[in-house]
Coordinates of all heavy atoms in Angstrom, one line a residue:
M1 N 95.6 73.3 109.2 CA 96.4 73.7 108.1 C 97.9 73.6 108.4 O 98.3 73.6 109.5 CB 96.1 75.1 107.8 CG 94.7 75.4 107.3 SD 94.6 77.0 106.6 CE 92.9 76.8 106.2
K2 N 98.6 73.3 107.3 CA 100.1 73.1 107.5 C 100.7 74.0 106.3 O 100.2 74.1 105.3 CB 100.4 71.7 107.3 CG 100.0 70.8 108.4 CD 100.9 71.0 109.6 CE 100.7 70.0 110.7 NZ 101.5 70.1 111.9
L3 N 101.9 74.4 106.7 CA 102.7 74.9 105.5 C 103.2 73.8 104.6 O 103.4 72.8 105.0 CB 104.1 75.5 106.1 CG 104.1 76.8 106.8 CD1 105.5 77.3 107.2 CD2 103.6 78.0 105.8
R4 N 103.1 74.1 103.3 CA 103.5 73.1 102.3 C 104.9 72.9 102.5 O 105.8 73.7 103.0 CB 103.2 73.6 100.9 CG 101.7 73.6 100.6 CD 101.5 74.0 99.2 NE 102.2 73.2 98.2 CZ 102.8 73.8 97.2 NH1 102.8 75.1 97.0 NH2 103.5 73.1 96.4
K5 N 105.3 71.7 102.1 CA 106.8 71.3 102.3 C 107.6 72.4 101.4 O 107.2 72.8 100.3 CB 107.0 69.9 101.7 CG 106.6 68.9 102.7 CD 107.0 67.4 102.2 CE 106.6 66.5 103.3 NZ 107.1 65.2 102.9
G6 N 108.7 72.8 101.9 CA 109.6 73.6 101.2 C 109.4 75.1 101.6 O 110.1 76.0 101.1
F7 N 108.6 75.3 102.6 CA 108.3 76.7 103.0 C 108.7 76.7 104.5 O 108.5 75.8 105.3 CB 106.8 77.1 102.9 CG 106.4 77.5 101.5 CD1 105.9 76.6 100.7 CD2 106.5 78.7 101.1 CE1 105.5 76.8 99.4 CE2 106.1 79.1 99.8 CZ 105.6 78.1 98.9
A8 N 109.4 77.8 104.8 CA 109.9 78.0 106.3 C 109.5 79.4 106.6 O 109.6 80.3 105.9 CB 111.3 77.7 106.3
V9 N 109.3 79.6 107.9 CA 109.0 81.0 108.5 C 110.1 81.1 109.7 O 110.3 80.1 110.4 CB 107.6 81.2 109.0 CG1 107.3 80.2 110.1 CG2 107.4 82.5 109.5
T10 N 110.6 82.2 109.7 CA 111.6 82.6 110.7 C 111.3 84.1 111.2 O 110.8 84.9 110.4 CB 113.0 82.4 110.3 OG1 114.0 82.6 111.3 CG2 113.4 83.4 109.2
T11 N 111.5 84.3 112.4 CA 111.3 85.6 113.1 C 112.6 86.5 112.8 O 113.7 85.9 112.8 CB 110.9 85.5 114.5 OG1 111.9 84.9 115.2 CG2 109.5 84.9 114.6
T12 N 112.3 87.8 112.8 CA 113.4 88.8 112.7 C 113.2 89.8 113.7 O 112.2 89.8 114.4 CB 113.6 89.3 111.3 OG1 112.4 90.1 111.0 CG2 113.6 88.2 110.2
D13 N 114.1 90.8 113.7 CA 113.9 91.9 114.6 C 112.7 92.8 114.2 O 112.2 93.6 115.0 CB 115.1 92.8 114.7 CG 116.3 92.1 115.5 OD1 116.0 91.2 116.2 OD2 117.3 92.6 115.1
Y14 N 112.2 92.6 112.9 CA 111.2 93.4 112.4 C 109.9 92.6 112.0 O 109.1 93.1 111.2 CB 111.7 94.2 111.2 CG 113.0 95.0 111.5 CD1 114.2 94.5 111.1 CD2 112.8 96.2 112.2 CE1 115.3 95.3 111.5 CE2 114.0 96.9 112.5 CZ 115.2 96.4 112.2 OH 116.3 97.1 112.5
G15 N 109.7 91.5 112.5 CA 108.6 90.7 112.2 C 109.1 89.3 111.8 O 109.5 88.5 112.7
G16 N 109.0 88.9 110.6 CA 109.5 87.6 110.1 C 109.6 87.6 108.6 O 109.3 88.4 107.9
V17 N 110.0 86.4 108.2 CA 110.1 86.1 106.7 C 109.5 84.7 106.5 O 109.9 83.8 107.2 CB 111.7 86.2 106.4 CG1 111.8 85.7 104.7 CG2 112.2 87.5 106.5
L18 N 108.9 84.7 105.4 CA 108.3 83.3 104.9 C 109.1 83.0 103.7 O 109.1 83.8 102.7 CB 106.7 83.4 104.7 CG 106.1 82.1 104.1 CD1 106.2 81.0 105.1 CD2 104.6 82.5 103.8
L19 N 109.9 81.9 103.6 CA 110.7 81.6 102.6 C 110.3 80.4 101.8 O 109.9 79.4 102.5 CB 112.1 81.4 103.1 CG 113.2 80.8 102.1 CD1 113.5 81.8 101.1 CD2 114.4 80.6 102.8
D20 N 110.1 80.5 100.5 CA 110.1 79.4 99.6 C 111.4 78.8 99.4 O 112.2 79.4 98.6 CB 109.3 79.8 98.2 CG 109.1 78.6 97.3 OD1 109.8 77.6 97.5 OD2 108.2 78.8 96.4
E21 N 111.8 77.7 99.9 CA 113.2 77.3 99.9 C 113.5 76.7 98.4 O 114.6 76.8 98.0 CB 113.5 76.2 100.9 CG 113.2 76.6 102.3 CD 113.1 75.5 103.3 OE1 112.8 74.3 103.0 OE2 113.5 75.7 104.5
K22 N 112.5 76.5 97.7 CA 112.8 75.8 96.2 C 113.0 77.1 95.4 O 114.1 76.9 94.6 CB 111.6 75.1 95.9 CG 111.8 74.4 94.4 CD 110.6 73.6 94.1 CE 110.9 73.0 92.7 NZ 109.8 72.1 92.3
S23 N 112.3 78.1 95.4 CA 112.4 79.1 94.4 C 113.2 80.3 94.9 O 113.7 81.1 94.2 CB 111.0 79.7 93.9 OG 110.5 80.4 95.1
G24 N 113.4 80.4 96.3 CA 114.1 81.5 96.8 C 113.3 82.7 97.1 O 113.7 83.7 97.6
S25 N 112.0 82.6 96.7 CA 111.1 83.8 96.9 C 110.8 83.9 98.4 O 110.8 82.9 99.2 CB 109.7 83.6 96.2 OG 109.9 83.4 94.8
Y26 N 110.5 85.0 98.8 CA 110.3 85.3 100.2 C 109.3 86.5 100.4 O 109.2 87.2 99.5 CB 111.5 85.5 101.1 CG 112.1 86.8 100.8 CD1 111.9 88.0 101.5 CD2 113.1 86.8 99.7 CE1 112.5 89.2 101.2 CE2 113.8 88.1 99.5 CZ 113.4 89.2 100.1 OH 114.0 90.4 100.0
W27 N 108.5 86.3 101.5 CA 107.6 87.4 101.9 C 108.0 87.9 103.3 O 108.2 87.1 104.2 CB 106.2 86.8 101.9 CG 105.6 86.2 100.6 CD1 104.9 86.9 99.7 CD2 105.9 85.0 100.0 NE1 104.7 86.2 98.6 CE2 105.3 84.9 98.7 CE3 106.7 83.9 100.4 CZ2 105.4 83.9 97.9 CZ3 106.8 82.7 99.6 CH2 106.2 82.8 98.4
Q28 N 108.0 89.2 103.4 CA 108.3 89.9 104.7 C 106.9 89.9 105.4 O 106.0 90.3 104.8 CB 108.9 91.3 104.4 CG 109.4 91.8 105.7 CD 110.2 93.0 105.4 OE1 110.4 93.4 104.2 NE2 110.6 93.7 106.4
L29 N 107.0 89.4 106.6 CA 105.8 89.4 107.5 C 105.9 90.5 108.6 O 107.0 90.5 109.2 CB 105.6 88.0 108.1 CG 105.5 86.8 107.0 CD1 105.6 85.5 107.8 CD2 104.4 86.9 106.2
N30 N 104.8 91.0 109.0 CA 104.8 91.8 110.2 C 104.6 91.0 111.4 O 104.4 89.8 111.2 CB 103.7 93.0 110.2 CG 102.3 92.5 110.0 OD1 102.0 91.4 110.4 ND2 101.5 93.3 109.6
D31 N 104.7 91.6 112.6 CA 104.5 90.7 113.8 C 103.2 89.9 114.0 O 103.2 88.7 114.3 CB 104.6 91.7 115.1 CG 105.9 92.2 115.3 OD1 106.9 91.6 114.8 OD2 106.0 93.3 116.0
T32 N 102.1 90.4 113.5 CA 100.8 89.6 113.7 C 100.8 88.6 112.5 O 100.2 87.6 112.8 CB 99.6 90.6 113.5 OG1 99.7 91.4 112.3 CG2 99.5 91.5 114.7
S33 N 101.3 88.8 111.4 CA 101.3 87.8 110.3 C 102.3 86.7 110.7 O 101.9 85.5 110.5 CB 101.9 88.4 109.0 OG 100.9 89.4 108.5
V34 N 103.3 86.8 111.4 CA 104.2 85.8 111.9 C 103.3 84.9 112.9 O 103.5 83.7 112.8 CB 105.4 86.4 112.8 CG1 106.2 85.3 113.4 CG2 106.4 87.0 111.7
I35 N 102.6 85.6 113.7 CA 101.7 84.8 114.7 C 100.7 83.9 113.8 O 100.5 82.8 114.2 CB 101.0 85.7 115.6 CG1 101.9 86.4 116.7 CG2 99.8 85.0 116.3 CD1 101.4 87.5 117.6
V36 N 100.1 84.4 112.9 CA 99.2 83.8 112.1 C 99.8 82.5 111.4 O 99.4 81.4 111.5 CB 98.5 84.6 111.0 CG1 97.5 83.8 110.1 CG2 97.6 85.8 111.7
V37 N 101.0 82.8 110.8 CA 101.6 81.7 110.0 C 102.2 80.7 111.0 O 102.0 79.4 110.7 CB 102.8 82.3 109.1 CG1 103.6 81.2 108.5 CG2 102.2 83.2 108.0
E38 N 102.8 81.0 112.0 CA 103.2 80.1 113.0 C 102.2 79.3 113.5 O 102.4 78.0 113.7 CB 104.1 80.7 114.0 CG 105.5 81.2 113.6 CD 106.2 81.9 114.7 OE1 105.6 82.3 115.8 OE2 107.5 82.0 114.6
T39 N 101.1 79.9 113.9 CA 99.9 79.2 114.5 C 99.4 78.2 113.5 O 99.2 77.0 113.8 CB 98.8 80.2 114.9 OG1 99.5 81.1 116.0 CG2 97.7 79.5 115.6
L40 N 99.1 78.6 112.3 CA 98.5 77.7 111.4 C 99.5 76.5 110.9 O 99.1 75.5 110.7 CB 98.0 78.5 110.1 CG 97.0 79.5 110.3 CD1 96.7 80.3 109.1 CD2 95.8 78.9 110.9
A41 N 100.8 76.9 110.8 CA 101.8 76.0 110.5 C 101.8 74.9 111.4 O 102.2 73.7 111.1 CB 103.0 76.6 110.3
A42 N 101.5 75.2 112.8 CA 101.5 74.2 113.8 C 100.3 73.3 113.8 O 100.2 72.5 114.7 CB 101.9 74.9 115.2
G43 N 99.4 73.6 112.9 CA 98.2 72.7 112.8 C 97.1 73.2 113.7 O 96.2 72.6 113.9
R44 N 97.3 74.5 114.3 CA 96.2 75.0 115.1 C 95.1 75.8 114.2 O 95.5 76.2 113.1 CB 96.8 75.9 116.2 CG 97.8 75.0 117.0 CD 98.3 75.7 118.2 NE 97.3 76.0 119.1 CZ 97.3 77.1 120.0 NH1 98.4 77.9 119.9 NH2 96.4 77.4 120.8
A45 N 94.1 76.0 114.8 CA 92.9 76.8 114.2 C 93.2 78.3 114.0 O 93.8 78.8 114.8 CB 91.6 76.5 114.8
P46 N 92.7 78.9 113.0 CA 92.8 80.3 112.9 C 92.4 81.0 114.2 O 92.9 82.1 114.5 CB 91.9 80.7 111.7 CG 91.9 79.5 110.9 CD 92.0 78.3 111.8
E47 N 91.4 80.6 114.9 CA 90.9 81.2 116.2 C 92.0 81.3 117.2 O 92.1 82.2 117.9 CB 89.8 80.4 116.7 CG 89.1 81.0 117.9 CD 88.6 82.4 117.8 OE1 88.2 82.7 116.8 OE2 88.6 83.1 118.9
A48 N 93.0 80.3 117.2 CA 94.1 80.4 118.1 C 95.0 81.5 117.7 O 95.5 82.2 118.6 CB 94.9 79.1 118.0
A49 N 95.1 81.9 116.5 CA 95.9 83.0 116.1 C 95.2 84.3 116.5 O 95.9 85.2 117.1 CB 96.1 83.0 114.6
V50 N 93.8 84.3 116.4 CA 93.1 85.5 116.8 C 93.2 85.7 118.4 O 93.5 86.9 118.8 CB 91.6 85.3 116.6 CG1 90.8 86.4 117.2 CG2 91.3 85.2 115.0
E51 N 93.3 84.7 119.1 CA 93.4 84.7 120.6 C 94.7 85.4 120.9 O 94.8 86.3 121.7 CB 93.2 83.5 121.1 CG 91.8 82.7 121.2 CD 90.8 83.6 122.0 OE1 91.2 84.3 123.0 OE2 89.7 83.6 121.5
R52 N 95.9 84.8 120.3 CA 97.1 85.4 120.6 C 97.2 86.9 120.2 O 97.8 87.6 120.9 CB 98.2 84.6 119.7 CG 98.6 83.3 120.4 CD 99.7 82.6 119.7 NE 100.9 83.4 119.8 CZ 102.1 83.3 118.9 NH1 102.0 82.2 118.2 NH2 103.0 84.0 119.1
I53 N 96.7 87.3 119.1 CA 96.8 88.5 118.6 C 96.0 89.6 119.5 O 96.5 90.6 119.9 CB 96.3 88.8 117.1 CG1 97.3 88.0 116.2 CG2 96.1 90.2 116.8 CD1 96.8 87.8 114.8
V54 N 94.8 89.2 119.9 CA 94.1 90.0 120.8 C 94.8 90.1 122.2 O 94.8 91.2 122.8 CB 92.6 89.4 121.0 CG1 91.9 90.1 122.1 CG2 91.9 89.6 119.7
A55 N 95.4 89.1 122.6 CA 96.2 89.1 123.9 C 97.4 89.9 123.8 O 97.8 90.6 124.8 CB 96.4 87.7 124.4
E56 N 98.0 89.9 122.7 CA 99.3 90.6 122.7 C 99.3 92.0 122.0 O 100.2 92.8 122.2 CB 100.3 89.8 121.8 CG 100.7 88.4 122.4 CD 101.7 87.6 121.7 OE1 102.6 88.3 120.9 OE2 101.6 86.4 121.6
F57 N 98.2 92.3 121.3 CA 98.2 93.6 120.7 C 96.9 94.4 121.1 O 95.9 93.7 121.4 CB 98.3 93.5 119.2 CG 99.5 92.9 118.7 CD1 99.7 91.5 118.5 CD2 100.7 93.6 118.4 CE1 100.9 90.9 118.1 CE2 101.9 93.1 118.1 CZ 102.0 91.7 118.0
D58 N 96.9 95.7 120.9 CA 95.8 96.5 121.2 C 94.9 96.6 119.9 O 94.9 97.5 119.1 CB 96.1 97.9 121.5 CG 94.9 98.9 121.9 OD1 93.9 98.3 122.4 OD2 95.1 100.0 121.8
V59 N 94.2 95.4 119.8 CA 93.2 95.3 118.6 C 91.9 94.7 118.9 O 91.9 93.9 119.9 CB 94.0 94.4 117.5 CG1 94.3 93.1 118.0 CG2 93.2 94.4 116.1
E60 N 90.8 95.2 118.3 CA 89.6 94.6 118.6 C 89.4 93.2 118.0 O 90.0 93.0 116.9 CB 88.4 95.4 117.9 CG 88.4 96.8 118.5 CD 87.9 96.8 119.9 OE1 87.0 96.0 120.2 OE2 88.3 97.6 120.7
R61 N 88.7 92.3 118.7 CA 88.6 90.9 118.2 C 88.0 90.9 116.7 O 88.6 90.1 116.0 CB 87.6 90.2 119.1 CG 87.3 88.8 118.6 CD 86.6 87.9 119.6 NE 87.3 87.6 120.8 CZ 88.3 86.7 121.0 NH1 88.7 86.0 119.9 NH2 89.1 86.5 121.9
A62 N 87.1 91.7 116.4 CA 86.5 91.7 115.1 C 87.5 91.9 113.9 O 87.6 91.3 113.0 CB 85.3 92.5 115.0
E63 N 88.4 92.9 114.3 CA 89.4 93.3 113.3 C 90.4 92.1 113.2 O 90.9 91.8 112.1 CB 90.1 94.6 113.7 CG 91.2 95.1 112.8 CD 91.8 96.4 113.2 OE1 91.4 97.0 114.2 OE2 92.8 96.7 112.5
A64 N 90.8 91.5 114.4 CA 91.7 90.4 114.3 C 91.2 89.3 113.5 O 91.9 88.6 112.7 CB 92.1 90.0 115.8
E65 N 89.9 89.0 113.7 CA 89.3 87.8 113.1 C 89.2 88.0 111.5 O 89.6 87.2 110.8 CB 87.9 87.6 113.6 CG 87.7 87.1 114.9 CD 86.3 87.1 115.6 OE1 85.4 87.8 115.0 OE2 86.1 86.3 116.5
S66 N 89.0 89.3 111.1 CA 88.9 89.7 109.8 C 90.3 89.6 109.2 O 90.5 89.1 108.0 CB 88.4 91.1 109.5 OG 88.4 91.6 108.2
D67 N 91.3 90.1 109.9 CA 92.7 90.1 109.4 C 93.3 88.7 109.2 O 93.9 88.3 108.2 CB 93.7 90.9 110.1 CG 93.3 92.4 110.1 OD1 92.5 92.9 109.2 OD2 93.9 93.2 110.9
V68 N 92.9 87.9 110.2 CA 93.5 86.4 110.2 C 92.7 85.7 109.0 O 93.4 85.0 108.3 CB 93.2 85.7 111.5 CG1 93.4 84.3 111.5 CG2 94.1 86.3 112.5
A69 N 91.5 85.9 108.8 CA 90.7 85.2 107.7 C 91.3 85.6 106.3 O 91.5 84.8 105.4 CB 89.2 85.5 107.9
E70 N 91.6 86.9 106.2 CA 92.1 87.3 105.0 C 93.5 86.9 104.7 O 93.8 86.4 103.6 CB 92.1 88.9 104.9 CG 92.8 89.6 103.7 CD 92.0 89.3 102.5 OE1 90.7 88.9 102.6 OE2 92.5 89.5 101.4
L71 N 94.3 86.8 105.6 CA 95.6 86.3 105.5 C 95.6 84.8 105.1 O 96.4 84.3 104.3 CB 96.6 86.6 106.7 CG 98.1 86.2 106.6 CD1 98.8 86.6 105.3 CD2 98.8 86.5 107.7
T72 N 94.8 84.2 105.9 CA 94.6 82.7 105.7 C 94.3 82.5 104.3 O 94.7 81.5 103.6 CB 93.7 82.1 106.8 OG1 94.2 82.3 108.1 CG2 93.5 80.5 106.6
R73 N 93.1 83.1 103.8 CA 92.7 83.0 102.5 C 93.8 83.2 101.4 O 94.0 82.4 100.4 CB 91.6 83.9 102.2 CG 90.9 83.8 100.8 CD 89.9 84.9 100.6 NE 90.6 86.2 100.4 CZ 91.2 86.7 99.5 NH1 91.4 86.0 98.4 NH2 91.7 87.9 99.4
R74 N 94.6 84.2 101.7 CA 95.6 84.6 100.7 C 96.6 83.5 100.7 O 97.3 83.1 99.5 CB 96.3 85.9 101.1 CG 95.4 87.1 100.6 CD 96.0 88.4 101.0 NE 95.2 89.4 100.6 CZ 95.6 90.7 100.4 NH1 96.9 91.0 100.6 NH2 94.8 91.6 100.1
L75 N 97.1 82.9 101.8 CA 98.0 82.0 101.9 C 97.6 80.6 101.2 O 98.4 79.9 100.6 CB 98.5 81.7 103.4 CG 99.3 82.8 104.0 CD1 99.4 82.6 105.6 CD2 100.7 83.1 103.4
V76 N 96.3 80.3 101.4 CA 95.8 79.1 100.7 C 95.8 79.3 99.3 O 96.1 78.5 98.5 CB 94.4 78.7 101.3 CG1 93.8 77.7 100.5 CG2 94.4 78.3 102.8
E77 N 95.3 80.5 98.8 CA 95.3 80.7 97.3 C 96.6 80.7 96.7 O 96.8 80.3 95.6 CB 94.7 82.1 97.1 CG 93.1 82.2 97.2 CD 92.6 83.6 97.0 OE1 93.3 84.5 96.7 OE2 91.3 83.5 97.1
A78 N 97.7 81.2 97.6 CA 99.1 81.2 97.0 C 99.7 79.7 97.1 O 100.8 79.6 96.8 CB 100.0 82.1 97.8
K79 N 98.9 78.8 97.6 CA 99.5 77.4 97.8 C 100.7 77.4 98.9 O 101.5 76.5 98.7 CB 99.7 76.9 96.5 CG 98.5 76.7 95.6 CD 98.8 75.9 94.4 CE 97.7 75.8 93.3 NZ 96.5 76.2 93.5
I80 N 100.6 78.2 99.8 CA 101.6 78.2 100.8 C 101.1 77.4 102.0 O 102.0 76.6 102.6 CB 102.0 79.7 101.2 CG1 102.6 80.4 100.0 CG2 102.9 79.6 102.5 CD1 102.8 81.9 100.3
L81 N 99.8 77.5 102.3 CA 99.2 76.7 103.2 C 98.4 75.7 102.6 O 97.8 75.9 101.6 CB 98.4 77.6 104.2 CG 99.0 78.4 105.3 CD1 97.9 79.2 106.0 CD2 99.7 77.5 106.2
R82 N 98.3 74.5 103.2 CA 97.4 73.5 102.7 C 96.4 73.0 103.8 O 96.9 73.0 104.9 CB 98.2 72.3 102.1 CG 99.0 71.5 103.1 CD 99.8 70.4 102.5 NE 100.8 69.9 103.3 CZ 100.5 69.1 104.4 NH1 99.4 68.7 104.6 NH2 101.6 68.8 105.1
P83 N 95.2 72.8 103.4 CA 94.2 72.4 104.5 C 94.5 71.1 105.1 O 95.3 70.4 104.6 CB 92.9 72.3 103.7 CG 93.2 73.0 102.4 CD 94.7 73.0 102.1

C-alpha cells in the first residue's frame, strides 16, 4: 500500500499529523497510528506495523492486529491509502 499523492505524514511531540496537501484537511494521529501509516506508506505489509507496535508498546498481538486492520480499512475507504 502507498499513500496517495498529495498526502504527507509527519511526527509531532504528541503523535503525528496526516495532511492532505491539496485540501488542507488533516488528521491527528496517535503514536501507534503514526507507525501504521508510516509502515504502510513505505510499502510494507500491515503485519510489519503489528510487529513494531507489539515491540514498542504493552499491547497484545490480537489487539494490535485488530487495530491495524481497522485503521488500514478506514484509510483505504477514505482513499488516503491505495493498494
Side-chain angles (χ1 to χ4, degrees):
M1 297 198 175
K2 291 283 189 179
L3 279 179
R4 287 187 49 227
K5 287 187 179 188
F7 284 89
V9 63
T10 186
T11 56
T12 67
D13 291 339
Y14 304 103
V17 174
L18 178 62
L19 173 66
D20 180 342
E21 296 168 334
K22 184 176 181 180
S23 73
S25 298
Y26 67 93
W27 296 264
Q28 193 166 350
L29 305 172
N30 64 22
D31 292 333
T32 55
S33 295
V34 170
I35 289 172
V36 174
V37 172
E38 288 179 340
T39 302
L40 297 175
R44 298 185 67 208
E47 181 60 29
V50 171
E51 292 295 331
R52 280 187 61 193
I53 291 169
V54 169
E56 294 182 31
F57 299 94
D58 184 24
V59 62
E60 296 292 324
R61 176 171 292 282
E63 183 178 353
E65 288 171 343
S66 174
D67 291 349
V68 168
E70 177 66 16
L71 180 56
T72 301
R73 183 188 64 77
R74 288 182 179 197
L75 292 170
V76 170
E77 283 180 359
K79 299 184 181 353
I80 294 168
L81 282 176
R82 60 180 169 80

